[in-house]
């Protein structure tokens, strides 16, 4: 007896030409397998709970989270790691080697390199975090409005985005900071970096919102009488945040490097503010004489940026359903 004799003809097979019939196997011949079963006793998980479940099992996330927590502790509570004053310098200690009480030695001005590396974390990390927050707010709003309303609103905002996208981040920041070089502060560096850094977030948000606004929940909410503005902020934007979070996490490290580059060029943070970029700039001429003076702030900068990049990669893998293992 052939399998065709056990099969059940579907309604679409009636009246079909010979050889075009379709058959469905009986349910007893296709039992539900373990891999297809669903535990109905467990509550349904949201995208964020699934992402957190994936993150907890990712060694890359664990390592990067430990490094980021350590960097945050150093930035917020530097006195827990050193009792010295980063601005206290004694020329008698100029370029002295390391010792048990001063593990990184001294720079050319006789300042403790370890103390300055610890206290430099706050300024560099503050610029990165504040810039990322501003970039997400500015770029997220512009991209969300452009993607959701479309039409002439999208056309105008997209052209403005294209204009800023054509300006390199560092080049634009250098030009603007040179124009207002008389008074430089952390907030000025933050605003300048945010002025040219919101473009990537805007483009990502626009694409994500354009995809989310065509889903069923958006149509249902509009049918229930919810205004377009409330629907945008209540439903569309929360469901479009996943790619924005990934870009923001990775970009934070980029802004820390940008601040260090601007300070290295002498147009970033003022010399009165202890930062990794400023210390690297001051130690560049000592590379052959005392390379450790340049090495330690550079290492701190590299570890911090690497931690945020690894965190961005881990978050991207967790929020991407295609990368999750069953």
């Amino acid at each position: 007896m052939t399998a065709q004799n056990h099969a059940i003809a579907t309604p679409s097979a009636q009246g079909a030409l010979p050889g075009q019939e379709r058959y469905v196997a009986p349910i007893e011949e296709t039992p539900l397998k373990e891999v297809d079963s669903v535990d109905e006793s467990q509550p349904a998980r949201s995208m964020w709970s699934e992402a957190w479940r994936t993150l907890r099992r990712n060694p890359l996330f664990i390592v990067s989270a430990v490094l980021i927590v350590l960097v945050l502790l150093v930035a917020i509570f530097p006195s827990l790691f050193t009792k010295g004053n980063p601005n206290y310098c004694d020329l008698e200690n100029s370029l002295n080697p390391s010792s048990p009480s001063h593990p990184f030695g001294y720079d050319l001005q006789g300042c403790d390199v370890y103390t300055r590396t610890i206290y430099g974390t706050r300024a560099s990390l503050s610029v990165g975090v504040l810039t990322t927050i501003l970039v997400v707010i500015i770029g997220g709003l512009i991209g969300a409005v452009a993607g959701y309303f479309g039409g002439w609103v999208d056309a105008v905002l997209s052209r403005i985005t294209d204009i800023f996208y054509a300006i390199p981040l560092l080049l634009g920041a250098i030009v603007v900071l040179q124009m207002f070089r008389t008074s430089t502060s952390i907030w000025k560096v933050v605003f300048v970096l945010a002025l040219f850094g919101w473009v990537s977030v805007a483009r990502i948000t626009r694409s994500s919102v354009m995809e989310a606004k065509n889903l069923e929940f958006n149509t249902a909410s509009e049918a229930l009488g919810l205004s377009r503005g409330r629907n945008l902020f209540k439903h569309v934007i929360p469901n479009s945040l996943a790619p924005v979070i990934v870009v923001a996490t990775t970009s934070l490290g980029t802004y820390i490097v940008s601040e260090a580059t601007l300070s290295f060029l002498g147009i970033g943070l003022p010399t009165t503010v202890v930062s990794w970029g400023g210390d690297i700039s001051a130690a560049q001429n000592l590379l052959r004489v005392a390379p450790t003076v340049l090495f330690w702030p550079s290492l701190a900068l590299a570890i911090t940026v690497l931690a945020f990049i690894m965190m961005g990669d881990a978050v991207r893998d967790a929020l991407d359903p295609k990368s999750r293992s069953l």
Side-chain angles (χ1 to χ4, degrees):
M1 185 178 294
T2 63
Q4 185 174 353
N5 294 332
H6 287 282
I8 302 175
T10 61
S12 61
Q14 300 176 1
L17 297 176
Q20 295 183 349
E21 301 86 352
R22 291 186 297 171
Y23 297 92
V24 178
I27 187 64
E28 59 271 9
E29 295 185 5
T30 57
L32 187 67
K33 296 184 179 180
E34 185 69 23
V35 69
D36 301 320
S37 62
V38 177
D39 188 2
E40 298 180 356
S41 62
Q42 297 295 329
R45 294 190 180 94
S46 64
M47 179 188 68
W48 301 107
S49 61
E50 285 287 348
W52 173 241
R53 182 186 179 189
T54 305
L55 283 175
R56 288 181 300 175
R57 302 178 179 179
N58 191 345
L60 190 66
F61 169 76
I62 297 175
V63 173
S64 60
V66 170
L67 291 176
I68 290 175
V69 170
L70 179 60
V71 171
L72 289 175
L73 287 176
V74 173
I76 299 173
F77 307 106
S79 58
L80 295 178
F81 300 88
T82 179
K83 301 300 182 181
N85 185 355
N87 295 316
Y88 175 77
C89 304
D90 189 353
L91 288 176
E92 294 183 358
N93 297 325
S94 179
L95 299 181
N96 281 351
S98 61
S99 61
S101 57
H102 306 280
F104 294 172
Y106 296 87
D107 61 9
L108 184 62
Q109 301 298 324
C111 306
D112 186 9
V113 176
Y114 173 75
T115 302
R116 292 187 64 85
T117 302
I118 293 296
Y119 275 88
T121 307
R122 176 177 296 178
S124 300
L125 190 64
S126 298
V127 171
V129 172
L130 293 174
T131 304
T132 302
I133 294 175
L134 281 180
V135 162
V136 170
I137 294 175
I138 298 173
L141 288 177
I142 293 177
V145 171
Y148 186 74
F149 291 99
W152 67 269
V153 177
D154 183 22
V156 173
L157 294 179
S158 295
R159 298 297 77 77
I160 295 176
T161 303
D162 293 339
I163 293 174
F164 279 90
Y165 189 75
I167 304 175
L169 174 64
L170 281 177
L171 180 59
I174 290 173
V175 172
V176 175
L177 287 175
Q178 285 284 16
M179 295 171 58
F180 303 96
R181 194 173 180 179
T182 54
S183 59
T184 307
S185 62
I186 290 180
W187 283 106
K188 181 172 292 187
V189 175
V190 168
F191 286 137
V192 170
L193 290 178
L195 177 63
F196 298 100
W198 59 270
V199 181
S200 58
V201 174
R203 293 166 69 94
I204 293 295
T205 306
R206 176 180 176 272
S207 300
S208 183
V209 167
M210 291 180 66
E211 180 180 357
K213 75 175 184 179
N214 295 320
L215 299 179
E216 289 79 3
F217 70 87
N218 181 54
T219 305
S221 61
E222 289 185 352
L224 292 175
L226 195 66
S227 63
R228 300 192 69 185
R230 291 188 60 188
N231 188 39
L232 171 64
F233 289 97
K234 189 175 181 179
H235 295 293
V236 177
I237 291 181
N239 285 276
S240 307
L241 288 178
V244 177
I245 293 175
V246 175
V247 173
T249 306
T250 308
S251 299
L252 198 152
T254 303
Y255 298 131
I256 295 177
V257 173
S258 300
E259 178 276 322
T261 303
L262 294 174
S263 299
F264 179 83
L265 296 175
I267 57 176
L269 299 179
T271 56
T272 56
V273 178
V274 181
S275 67
W276 292 332
D279 288 351
I280 293 173
S281 177
Q284 60 178 324
N285 297 325
L286 304 175
L287 183 59
R288 294 185 179 182
V289 180
T292 55
V293 178
L294 178 65
F295 173 76
W296 294 114
S298 302
L299 179 63
L301 175 64
I303 291 176
T304 303
V305 174
L306 179 62
F308 282 104
I309 292 177
M310 291 192 303
M311 176 65 74
D313 292 340
V315 172
R316 180 197 59 201
D317 294 340
L319 293 176
D320 184 7
K322 297 180 181 179
S323 66
R324 297 176 190 162
S325 57
L326 298 177

